[in-house]
Amino acid sequence: MTTNHVNEEAQVENVEPSTSHNEINDSQSTTQSSEEFLANFDWVSYQEAAETVDEKKYKEFEKLVHENFVDTQHTDVIQGTVTHMTDREAIIDINAKSEGVISLNEFRYNPDLKVGDSVEVIVDIREDKTGQLVLSHRKARVIKAWDRVNEAHDKGEVITGFVKCRTKGGMIVDVFGIEAFLPGSQIDVKPIRDYDQYVSKNMEFKIVKINHEFKNVVVSHKALIEADIEEQKKEIIGQLEKGQVLEGTVKNITSYGVFIDLGGVDGLVHITDLSWNRINHPGEILELDQKLNVVILDFDDDKSRIQLGVKQLSQHPWEALSEDLKEGDIVDGKVAVIADYGAFIEIAPGVEGLVHVSEMSWSTHMRSAQDFVNVGDQVKVSILSLDREDRKMSLGMKQLSADPWTDITSKYPVGSKHKGVIRNFTNFGVFVELEEGIDGLIYISELSWTKKVKHPSEIVTVGQDLEVVVLELDVDGRKLSLGHKQIQDNPWNKYESEFSEGTLVESSIHEIVDKGATVILNDDITAFVPNRHLEKEDGNKLKKGESAEFKVIEFNKDYKRVVLSHSAVYKEMEQEIVKKAKKKAAAKTEVSTLGDIDALADLKKKMNEEENG
């Protein structure tokens, strides 16, 4: 027997049991011509190799086998028919030597599978340990799905997919049995806040990217509507005009304004154009997806930036302001905003006036507006100025109370003593509040009779109660000069006699300074000792803390200046000794001189007598 004959016999043996099977006989795939050929075929001669098969008949037989029976060695997708179903498996006829089985788990997406349904399969295992042909529907679907996906991507076709679930950054979509990724930015042209609304829905998509290496597919729903939106956008932009009123939808809310979708074209309503009333954030009056009418205020040359307004659609509040309102009127208002320089008071919806901090109190001592009012406070104010054309209004609060300077001369005459509170101080003095609206200044030189104050903080603190004396009053300039040291008598009047020039005092060196040293007298006078007057009798100089006797060599009450000298003490003693010595010597000289005069007188008298004799 030749090799061809053996192969032909094997093929016939493989075909024979299949053709004798009842289910194969019932198959609609067997044609009438194949039945006639098989009926007239001389099987006996063929099996015994009694004669050579005609080449024409052999090729005809080979053709019929190829057309009607599946080669299980190939990995192509095969169309099969469900012939039987159990609780766990489905029996599939693929026109092979035997029927194949598929686990029902592969048909979970199709719970309505029944006998007679046509399904796509691929040969998974040609023959398992029990000799059974094992098929796979899932693998066949994947192969077919990738073919469809690639074809749809290449042709730019619109496909339908099933949104399975949410995932990080987007959604998972079933496309032909393949899990594709739908990014959140590709769901719609507007931002999506509720992803769950798309789960378990069928949607149309366009395949925008395929990664063959990692078998990843990216789809987009946004791409389907962008083309239509672009056309719609061009049409809308072409019709835009300033002053045109359109209906839009709130697309996004920011701290500085609101973006409005005009049907494919976005415009911005700045926060200042949302309402005539003052608002802190657009979210106070608008919400996402809210529909509202807007007016086109302006746009650039290519109309890519469109400025919209909402408040312009309603009457300006100033136009509704009562004509009877005038300067000097007292009105009720609500504190809307507080700034460093004052507070804005809303006296009518959308109508505000400014109360400058200087108009909040009669006090000339400037403070912050927060010291007087808080946002939301209901207050009474007086209209100081009203400009309807420029829509500006100045208000005042202090005008509702009497001006404390009205009777200032009787309340605070010059020389009167009072008690005030230190509000603040500067390098040159201290501001003292005697009452609300009445402030006075104590110059640094008026704080102490004896101390040389370099800064007020050395002797006083803010908030401290302090006794003062009115030194000067300027009613027109609303200025009040005060003094603190005048509460006590000027001790320099007493010290003028106590520490007059030439007076000797006993004290110690308090501090050594650049040009000498200081000495404290009576605990409140700081006297100065120049360097050359610190020298002791032994030639050394006095040191800090060393006690000694000093002589007052200068006393100036006006300049509060006392100058001492130690060296003058012992030098004066030396001078006194010298003086006494000189006086004694002079006395001796005087005695000698008188004696000589008497002798001369006697001599002269004697000579005269001799001459007259």
Side-chain angles (χ1 to χ4, degrees), residues 173-190:
V173 179
D174 187 316
V175 178
F176 305 135
I178 294 177
E179 288 189 347
F181 177 60
L182 172 63
S185 60
Q186 296 298 315
I187 298 176
D188 204 339
V189 291
K190 60 183 180 180

Side-chain angles (χ1 to χ4, degrees), residues 113 136 201 279 499 533 536 567:
L113 183 70
S136 174
K201 287 186 178 180
I279 59 174
F499 300 109
H533 291 279
K536 296 188 290 185
S567 59

Side-chain angles (χ1 to χ4, degrees), residues 250 252-260 267-274 279-283 286:
V250 178
N252 191 21
I253 299 177
T254 67
S255 59
Y256 55 86
V258 178
F259 288 93
I260 305 296
L268 173 65
V269 182
H270 195 268
I271 187 172
T272 57
D273 291 316
L274 280 173
I279 59 174
N280 297 317
H281 193 278
L286 292 178

